[in-house]
Amino acid sequence: EVQLVESGGGLVQPGGSLRLSCVASGFTFSVCPMHWVRRAPGGGLESVSAINPNGATTYYANSVKGRFTISRDNSRNTLYLQMGSLRLEDMGVFYCAREGTPGTYDLWGQGTPVTVSS
Amino acid sequence: DVVMTQSPLSLSVIPGQPASISCRSSQGLVFSDGNIYLNWFHQRPGQSPRRLIYKVSNRDSGVPDRFSGSGSGFDFTLKISRVEAEDVGVYYCMQASHWPWTFGQGTKVEIK
């Protein structure tokens, strides 16, 4: 089955860290650019970060630049998001998404929730 | 960042009636390869977003043909020719021609 399965979300204090993982199956992970997308508690969607197929090129939203790091392990079909210096405004559900063809998300995971609270 | 502005932000539709959602971009969306990477997604409560339309007007496999996308320049539209109960949820436009990719605020569709 073609799917993305995220994990690693949870409750963290402001200033804390969290690492999200996304395991891909059913397709050739190593040829696809991959993304993290956040759904904020109010419902808005935000593209957080992206990585090219070999991991050499990464992109970040200004809101997370310097605090989050995207990476991938193609041998494990796994995408990661290391989140640091977490803020209240980082809360939400984080989705892993596949860019199967240029300029679109054609496959989404089920999401993993992140709560930032003291 | 490119700002995507959707309207209306909510719609209440009688089943069988049409619905239309507008999306306006703050910048042109023609990518260097000549394509316009404008997408439409639908998210039902408790579910992940699902792509409906890509590159302005290309409908995903499995998406009913009552859904159609159109537009050019700065203005784009998603139309539902006859709304059905399963169409409830939030619809988002998203541009992927400029990083960061950006979404509209979402349009909540409910059934009367």
Side-chain angles (χ1 to χ4, degrees), chain A residues 61-118:
Chain A
N62 287 334
S63 60
V64 306
K65 206 171 289 185
R67 301 187 298 120
F68 290 12
T69 302
I70 191 171
S71 62
R72 64 192 297 161
D73 183 341
N74 287 343
S75 68
R76 296 175 182 268
N77 288 344
T78 304
L79 176 72
Y80 302 101
L81 185 68
Q82 179 68 47
M83 304 189 296
S85 302
L86 281 161
R87 307 167 180 168
L88 293 177
E89 56 265 33
D90 294 323
M91 285 204 305
V93 177
F94 282 74
Y95 298 99
C96 166
R98 181 183 75 176
E99 186 183 348
T101 55
T104 191
Y105 299 133
D106 64 346
L107 179 67
W108 297 67
Q110 86 288 350
T112 186
V114 172
T115 302
V116 182
S117 174
S118 53

Side-chain angles (χ1 to χ4, degrees), chain A residues 43 47 60 95 103-104 109-110, chain B residues 37 39 43 48 51 92 99 101:
Chain A
S47 294
Y60 298 95
Y95 298 99
T104 191
Q110 86 288 350
Chain B
Y37 293 115
N39 301 265
Q43 187 168 30
S48 305
R51 190 181 67 179
Y92 299 92
W99 182 263
W101 296 2

Side-chain angles (χ1 to χ4, degrees), chain B:
Chain B
D1 298 358
V2 177
V3 177
M4 304 298 287
T5 304
Q6 284 182 235
S7 63
L9 298 184
S10 66
L11 268 179
S12 184
V13 189
I14 296 171
Q17 292 300 300
S20 180
I21 301 171
S22 171
C23 178
R24 174 164 289 183
S25 63
S26 63
Q27 298 178 29
L29 299 183
V30 179
F31 192 61
S32 55
D33 63 6
N35 288 305
I36 297 174
Y37 293 115
L38 188 285
N39 301 265
W40 290 94
F41 296 92
H42 175 214
Q43 187 168 30
R44 296 191 180 99
Q47 295 185 13
S48 305
R50 173 200 182 193
R51 190 181 67 179
L52 299 174
I53 302 284
Y54 60 98
K55 287 196 289 186
V56 182
S57 59
N58 293 273
R59 195 169 46 244
D60 260 81
S61 60
V63 174
D65 61 7
R66 63 178 183 275
F67 289 91
S68 64
S70 63
S72 62
F74 298 82
D75 293 303
F76 302 90
T77 302
L78 177 71
K79 291 183 179 177
I80 311 173
S81 59
R82 298 172 307 279
V83 172
E84 296 188 6
E86 65 180 17
D87 299 336
V88 297
V90 182
Y91 291 80
Y92 299 92
C93 62
M94 183 197 83
Q95 68 80 23
S97 295
H98 305 277
W99 182 263
W101 296 2
T102 47
F103 293 84
Q105 315 96 301
T107 296
K108 186 174 184 179
V109 172
E110 65 172 23
I111 302 299
K112 277 185 182 174

